[in-house]
Amino acid sequence: MEMVGQMPFLTVLLIVYGVIISAQVLALLLHMSGFTPLEVILLVAFPLLAYILALPAVGSSISGFYPGLSGTVFATARVFDVPLLHLDGSIIGFNLLGCSIPVIITTKMLAQRRVPLRQFFLVAAITAGVSHLYSVIVPGVGVAIYLFAIPPILAAALAFMLRKLRGARDFNPALLAYAGATIGVLVGADLLNLYRLVTHYADSPVFISIGGGSVLDAIFLAGIVALLADLVFRSQEENMLRPLVNLFGGGDRK
């Protein structure tokens, strides 16, 4: 509340309005992409609710709205870190938001055969390799991905091309793009860097969270970018952008 009190009322109103519009667009994008209501809750409502509930535990020790917001987002991610084991003095764990959500949704889609298994492994493996190439260890932050948009755009392009192959048209490329992008980034940026992280912090053991820290942002953004890229690719053959145009009242009127 202290952060909001430092801001003019008009600025707060504009931010709230922007969040509402963004939520509408994101909900429509997820609906067009074929996600179920439960998956939408896990992707949008649950992280937002978790962030709001974690704010009292995190607090805001950073002055100013924008630095305070970024600081609390990063600190909130740590609230949902779950320890698993000790390795060379460091604690290895996972993040409930950055690791569990994409794994649960992807496993659910694979079990329901909404995402083809072979194509998923192909897209995830290539995305993981590219994510690993663009990942770097940043002291005090963990693993960071430069040019983070490249892996998810690549995942969407691969999903679109695989769907155009003969005999592979019975799946939703948007779901494949999301699954391949998020799991690929999780594996390439985090799992493949576990040994490097443990050795990097050998002198000062820390908590290493799979799917947490800055990678949490990369995983979330990977899913969104992959869906947007899929929308652009498919709009070349299908009229995928019309629902978004109609949302803002720009459609044909009779």
Side-chain angles (χ1 to χ4, degrees), residues 1-63:
M1 295 298 178
E2 182 180 341
M3 289 187 299
V4 176
Q6 298 175 356
M7 297 165 45
F9 175 75
L10 180 59
T11 304
V12 176
L13 189 63
L14 290 175
I15 292 175
V16 172
Y17 180 75
V19 170
I20 294 175
I21 295 298
S22 300
Q24 283 185 291
V25 174
L26 181 58
L28 181 57
L29 175 62
L30 292 172
H31 172 71
M32 292 190 313
S33 300
F35 287 90
T36 65
L38 176 60
E39 292 164 354
V40 174
I41 292 175
L42 287 175
L43 284 169
V44 181
F46 180 72
L48 180 61
L49 178 62
Y51 172 74
I52 293 174
L53 293 178
L55 277 179
V58 173
S60 178
S61 59
I62 307 176
S63 61

Side-chain angles (χ1 to χ4, degrees), residues 17-239:
Y17 180 75
V19 170
I20 294 175
I21 295 298
S22 300
Q24 283 185 291
V25 174
L26 181 58
L28 181 57
L29 175 62
L30 292 172
H31 172 71
M32 292 190 313
S33 300
F35 287 90
T36 65
L38 176 60
E39 292 164 354
V40 174
I41 292 175
L42 287 175
L43 284 169
V44 181
F46 180 72
L48 180 61
L49 178 62
Y51 172 74
I52 293 174
L53 293 178
L55 277 179
V58 173
S60 178
S61 59
I62 307 176
S63 61
F65 177 73
Y66 297 106
L69 183 61
S70 61
T72 51
V73 167
F74 185 77
T76 300
R78 298 182 177 179
V79 174
F80 299 96
D81 286 335
V82 179
L84 287 178
L85 54 91
H86 292 264
L87 184 62
D88 292 340
S90 296
I91 302 176
I92 309 297
F94 69 97
N95 188 274
L96 289 174
L97 300 180
C99 180
S100 298
I101 290 178
V103 169
I104 290 174
I105 292 179
T106 299
T107 302
K108 178 174 177 287
M109 293 190 296
L110 288 172
Q112 295 173 342
R113 297 184 178 180
R114 294 158 59 204
V115 171
L117 189 62
R118 287 185 299 178
Q119 284 86 346
F120 162 72
F121 279 120
L122 176 62
V123 174
I126 295 176
T127 306
V130 174
S131 300
H132 186 66
L133 290 175
Y134 282 97
S135 62
V136 63
I137 297 179
V138 179
V141 176
V143 178
I145 302 179
Y146 292 121
L147 301 176
F148 70 90
I150 292 181
I153 292 176
L154 176 61
L158 289 171
F160 179 75
M161 289 188 294
L162 287 172
R163 189 174 184 271
K164 293 179 70 68
L165 295 177
R166 180 176 300 178
R169 294 179 174 270
D170 56 344
F171 66 87
N172 186 335
L175 301 184
L176 176 59
Y178 169 83
T182 54
I183 300 301
V185 170
L186 181 63
V187 172
D190 257 357
L191 292 181
L192 295 182
N193 281 311
L194 268 182
Y195 178 76
R196 291 175 58 196
L197 286 170
V198 171
T199 55
H200 180 80
Y201 293 106
D203 297 331
S204 55
V206 295
F207 186 96
I208 300 175
S209 175
I210 300 174
S214 60
V215 175
L216 187 151
D217 300 332
I219 294 172
F220 177 78
L221 292 174
I224 300 301
V225 172
L227 293 178
L228 291 173
D230 171 77
L231 186 67
V232 172
F233 290 139
R234 286 200 288 165
S235 65
Q236 305 300 317
E237 297 182 349
E238 309 170 34
N239 196 1

